[in-house]
Each structure stands twice: as C-alpha cells, then as structure tokens.
Amino acid sequence: MKILHLSPELAPWSKAGGLGDAVAALAKSMGALGHEVRVVTPLYGSVPGAERMGVLLPSLQVGVGGDPRKAGCRVRTQSVAPQVEAWFIEHEDYYGAREIYPPREDAGERAHFFARAGLDACVAAGWIPDIIHCHDWTTGLIPPLLNTTLREGPLGAASSVLTIHNLQHQGLHPRRTLDFAGLPAHLFRPDELECLGGVNYLKGGILHARTVLTVSPTYAREILTPAFGHGLEDVVRRRADALHGILNGVDRDEWDPARDPHLAQPFSAGDLAGKAACKAALLRELNLPTEPDRPVVGVISRLWDQKGLDLALAVLPRLLREDALRFVLLGSGDASLEQGFRRLAAEFPAACAVKIGYDHGLSHRIEAGADFFLMPSRFEPCGLNQMYSMTYGTLPIVRETGGLADTVIPWDGEKKGTGVVFTHADLAGVEWGLRRALELYAQPKKFAAVRREALRQDFSWRRSAEEHLRRYAVA
Ligand code: ADP
C-alpha cells in the first residue's frame, strides 16, 4: 500500500510530546512491513540540517485561499528508513520560527497549510496514496476536504483515517478558515464543523474520516463519556462504529537499555548490574547523595493539568520529610507548576532534584536510573513513558486511565504485576500509589519479580502497525 501520514510533529526533527515519537515509529514499522510510506510535516525553524535535505518540489502552489503570494512553498525530502520518506513543507512565514504551536492570529490557516500542501505534493509528484492518515487536530480539515471539494480529484479514491492522540486539543478557529481551506459553506453548521461560532478542526476530522482511531482501547471507550469527551463526546458517539483504540509502542531503536548511548552503562533483563550504575550516575548528575538503597521516583512530563502533577506536588513534601524516597523531575509547561517544583527542590535539596526544560539525554537517564516512574494523569490517551519505564526495568506508578490502564498490570501484593495502579486522580490516590510502591520496594524478592515481569513486556510497534493495517484494509 501507499500510505500518507500528515502530522505536525515528527521525531527526531520535531517533538512536543508523544505524537512526534508515535508517528515516526508507526511510519518506520509500516515501511518495515513492506509498505511505501510518506510523512508530511512542517519544516520548523528548529529542524536541524534542512540545507542538506533533498528537494522534492522546488516550488508548489498550494490549494488554499487568502493571499496567493502566501500559498507557495518548497517541499524538501529526507529518507527516514527503507521505503519511508519525510516530506518537509518549507514556508518561512508559517513555519520559519522554532515553535511548533505558537499562538498567532492566523493559527488556523497555518495549521491547515502543511497538510493541504502534502496532498498537493502527492498529486504534483504523481504519488497517489491509498490511505491518507491524519494525526490530531491540525489535520482535521483534510477528511472533510476529501469528502467534498477533492472528492472527484486524483485523491478522491483514497481512504481517510484520523487518529485522535489527545481529544483535549481540538483547534477552534474563525469561520474564515473554512474559505481558506476551500470547504463548502454549508459545512458551517452545528451538526458539521461549526462549534461555538468557529470551526472545530478535530470535529471535522472525526465526522468525516472513514476510520477514526485513538491510541488505546480504554481511551476509545472513555471519550464516549462527558468526563473524557471535552465537549465532543456526542460527536465521537456518532462515529462509535468507526472508532477503534490501538496502543502505541516502544521504538527499540530509540529506547533500548542494552544499546542506549545516553546511559552511563548498558543493561538488559538478563544483566541488571548496569541499572545500579545508571542509578548512581543519575543521582550524581543531579547532585543528590548516592544512596543505592533509597528508592528513586522519576517524572518526565509536560507540566499541564492533564498530567496530575499538581497532586504529586501536594503529596510529596510529606514523603520527603519522612525521608522515604528520592524524587527527580524533568519537565516544563505551566509556570506555577514549574515554580512549585523548583520550590520543592529548594526545600529538600538532598532528596529532590528538578530540571525545568526539555532534555532528551536526561530523559533517557531518568528512565534508566529511577526505580519507579510516576504518572498520576487525570486522563492519558496512551502515554509512552510508562512503556519506556518498563522497558528500562523501572516500575510505573500510574492512575488507572486510558493507555495507562491498558499497559500496566497492577501489583497484586505478591510477585505478580508490572507496576502500581491507583484508581482516583486525587491526593489520596497519589499518596496511596507512592506508599504502595515503597511497600513493594521494601520487599526485594517481590520487587525483583515485578521488575522481571515489567522487563518481559512486549510493546512492539510491529504489533501496533499490523493492527493499523488491518483497520486500513476494512476502511
Ligand atoms: P504527551 O504526548 O501527552 O506529552 P506521552 O507520555 O505520550 O505524553 O509522551 C511524552 C514524550 O515526551 C515522551 O517521549 C517523554 O519522554 C517526552 N518528554 C516530555 N517532556 C520532556 C522533557 N522535558 N524532556 C525530554 N523529553 C520529554
């Protein structure tokens, strides 16, 4: 099959969260299964090595409204893996800055432009896809376009797929974006793309894609309910028959403790000596005392309400005062949470280290050096870090929601399970989870058995890619 992915993030070139990782790994896995894959994504100012990339189309006039002088772009190309190419949409005004999601007045036009450029690039290059796979809200106007304006065109026979990586971010933009995209005016009504007087991009994608996917079976059920639907639950319910949850996986080229260049020492399920060295190195790197017997709890996260880390911030002082654990956090986002965690580190300098910012290498070293990894998410469509953790023999402490519920087996108090699972995203839930982890850590034989079980889990992208392909086949 010829498969086109449209995504605003593509690791390692651009990544704000799990989306960049997921699209890159899915594309590579589909290529490895023998399919021809192209991933269209913007060429942000932060993407390194643009001048060394190839040029697929030196100039392409894109089918959008507005100022025709702004409708031109260049399409660069870069090989990702055998059979897999990234097509970067180069447009200085829209994407020349470093940020992936900057707040700007024309955010709706900018969001749509690269995806539409991707469709037009396919036609110009004579590469006609069987599947057009859209990822998240920025690409949401593509399925309605394919069902209306582009229906009789060269891409009209392609089957559209939308993956919801996070239903919270929907893209609500002014009515004029409908004209910019070339969509018929009659779609501006409440049972179509209209929402609160604007155009809701994700709603358009959900209503019009032939297949709607999300990133875990539990999240696929949760988003049918008001508690997780972010106001779109009725829209999602209209597509319940076309909706399926497929788990993401772990990219072993990137996350494998036996050959991870970021670690002080490699290790594997069969030989965990290197993990102890990684723990000591992590504590040294973060200027914490290297006490090998004290459990280290790690966090790597965007600091947003979704992630429930405000709960951790409220609960941790008590545990740190008891000197029960060491806590390390890498993340950025909400200013008050950043400040709160900075203060926590200042209050407990010998037990808590906090790095505000984005640090790829350190994220690998935390996964390797921690004993536990905390994810108290209020909702979590899939979550990648709990899977990376298990792959690194680090036991996740997670709230039972979305992909966390689908990937972590609760410790049964004996030797079964792969982590600690708690039910409620509240203070009592998080404290219970942390204390349960300490209880497990205090019993070395059980802890070792649970760690072995975690290391045995198979979160392969191949399985995920195969399931996608089965869904494509029925689309
Ligand atoms: P989300 O997509 O909601 O942010 P995921 O768990 O699916 O959550 O994916 C987050 C990804 O981003 C992981 O690969 C994680 O390691 C990475 N990440 C998040 N924050 C940082 C950071 N500050 N530094 C390095 N990597 C980070």
Side-chain angles (χ1 to χ4, degrees):
M1 269 196 277
K2 287 193 170 77
I3 301 162
L4 176 71
H5 289 277
L6 305 171
S7 171
E9 297 177 33
L10 180 64
W13 294 281
S14 59
K15 164 173 163 176
L19 173 63
D21 282 352
V23 174
L26 187 59
K28 279 195 281 180
S29 306
M30 288 177 170
L33 289 168
H35 300 279
E36 240 182 89
V37 184
R38 303 290 176 264
V39 188
V40 171
T41 194
L43 186 71
Y44 302 111
S46 51
V47 171
E51 60 292 341
R52 289 192 300 278
M53 292 176 181
V55 174
L56 178 77
L57 301 166
S59 87
L60 174 72
Q61 198 65 17
V62 178
V64 291
D67 183 348
R69 285 168 306 180
K70 271 184 81 175
C73 69
R74 181 185 292 160
V75 184
R76 291 194 178 266
T77 171
Q78 166 79 42
S79 166
V80 176
Q83 304 257 66
V84 185
E85 273 176 32
W87 287 358
F88 287 93
I89 305 304
E90 185 175 5
H91 187 294
E92 183 54 32
D93 180 36
Y94 283 143
Y95 308 121
R98 298 181 61 82
E99 275 174 281
I100 299 181
Y101 304 106
R104 42 190 274 176
E105 198 266 331
D106 62 351
E109 285 87 347
R110 176 184 178 273
H112 174 69
F113 183 85
F114 85 90
R116 177 61 202 257
L119 299 190
D120 293 347
C122 286
V123 176
W127 189 87
I128 303 300
D130 302 296
I131 302 291
I132 298 177
H133 192 150
C134 303
H135 295 272
D136 266 355
W137 72 267
T138 61
T139 62
L141 298 187
I142 297 300
L145 254 182
L146 290 167
N147 283 351
T148 56
T149 314
L150 302 182
R151 197 190 182 123
E152 308 303 330
L155 302 176
S159 186
S160 61
V161 178
L162 170 80
T163 294
I164 304 168
H165 294 261
N166 189 331
L167 189 62
Q168 186 174 33
H169 306 293
Q170 300 174 5
L172 189 62
H173 296 289
R175 185 187 172 141
R176 64 164 198 265
T177 50
L178 212 62
D179 300 331
F180 178 81
L183 282 163
H186 70 79
L187 292 185
F188 195 74
R189 43 175 223 261
D191 63 334
E192 277 285 352
L193 278 59
E194 195 267 335
C195 181
L196 303 170
V199 177
N200 185 317
Y201 280 37
L202 194 61
K203 185 182 179 192
I206 293 169
L207 288 175
H208 284 269
R210 204 168 297 175
T211 302
V212 183
L213 301 176
T214 188
V215 286
S216 71
T218 295
Y219 194 59
R221 287 190 298 276
E222 287 173 339
I223 58 177
L224 301 169
T225 68
F228 293 89
H230 298 283
L232 282 191
E233 58 275 9
D234 291 338
V235 174
V236 177
R237 247 185 268 131
R238 277 167 63 190
R239 299 305 316 280
D241 289 348
L243 173 69
H244 306 280
I246 305 178
L247 278 171
N248 288 331
V250 172
D251 182 352
R252 298 296 295 221
D253 290 342
E254 178 64 31
W255 295 95
D256 179 355
R259 49 192 185 99
D260 184 332
H262 303 289
L263 306 191
Q265 211 173 299
F267 63 91
S268 63
D271 178 8
L272 283 169
K275 181 151 175 87
C278 287
K279 178 172 175 176
L282 175 69
L283 292 169
R284 265 197 310 276
E285 178 177 353
L286 298 175
N287 292 321
L288 292 174
T290 48
E291 304 144 304
D293 294 338
R294 203 76 73 177
V296 173
V297 177
V299 169
I300 305 158
S301 185
R302 293 182 296 119
L303 301 177
W304 296 123
D305 181 65
Q306 173 197 344
K307 302 293 180 181
L309 289 162
D310 51 314
L311 304 171
L313 189 58
V315 164
L316 278 164
R318 195 162 31 228
L319 289 148
L320 290 168
R321 232 170 269 130
E322 290 169 19
D323 206 21
L325 52 82
R326 300 291 170 258
F327 179 75
V328 303
L329 175 137
L330 167 65
S332 64
D334 183 276
S336 71
L337 280 174
E338 289 184 355
Q339 200 183 21
F341 278 109
R342 277 205 186 98
R343 262 200 226 116
L344 188 73
E347 195 182 338
F348 299 97
C352 172
V354 167
K355 288 268 163 169
I356 299 300
Y358 193 92
D359 187 332
H360 184 69
L362 181 57
S363 75
H364 283 242
R365 290 191 290 281
I366 291 176
E367 288 292 9
D371 298 296
F372 294 99
F373 193 94
L374 178 64
M375 297 178 78
S377 304
R378 293 194 164 85
F379 70 94
E380 194 60 74
C382 178
L384 292 170
N385 275 314
Q386 81 281 14
M387 294 190 276
Y388 299 159
S389 296
M390 288 182 265
T391 306
Y392 279 60
T394 298
L395 303 184
I397 306 168
V398 301
R399 179 181 176 221
E400 189 180 17
T401 185
L404 300 176
D406 291 336
T407 53
V408 183
I409 306 167
W411 175 45
D412 69 347
E414 292 303 321
K415 292 187 171 175
K416 292 236 165 56
T418 59
V420 172
V421 180
F422 57 93
T423 313
H424 297 291
D426 57 22
L427 298 179
V430 176
E431 180 160 356
W432 183 89
L434 284 165
R435 291 201 185 276
R436 179 95 171 146
L438 297 177
E439 187 190 329
L440 172 57
Y441 191 77
Q443 304 174 75
K445 285 206 175 105
K446 291 182 185 175
F447 180 73
V450 175
R451 175 176 272 178
R452 267 197 305 278
E453 187 68 27
L455 281 159
R456 261 203 299 272
Q457 300 298 302
D458 172 23
F459 299 112
S460 86
W461 268 107
R462 188 190 165 97
R463 169 202 46 76
S464 182
E466 284 171 346
E467 225 177 310
H468 277 88
L469 293 162
R470 277 195 292 279
R471 289 292 162 203
Y472 289 172
V474 295

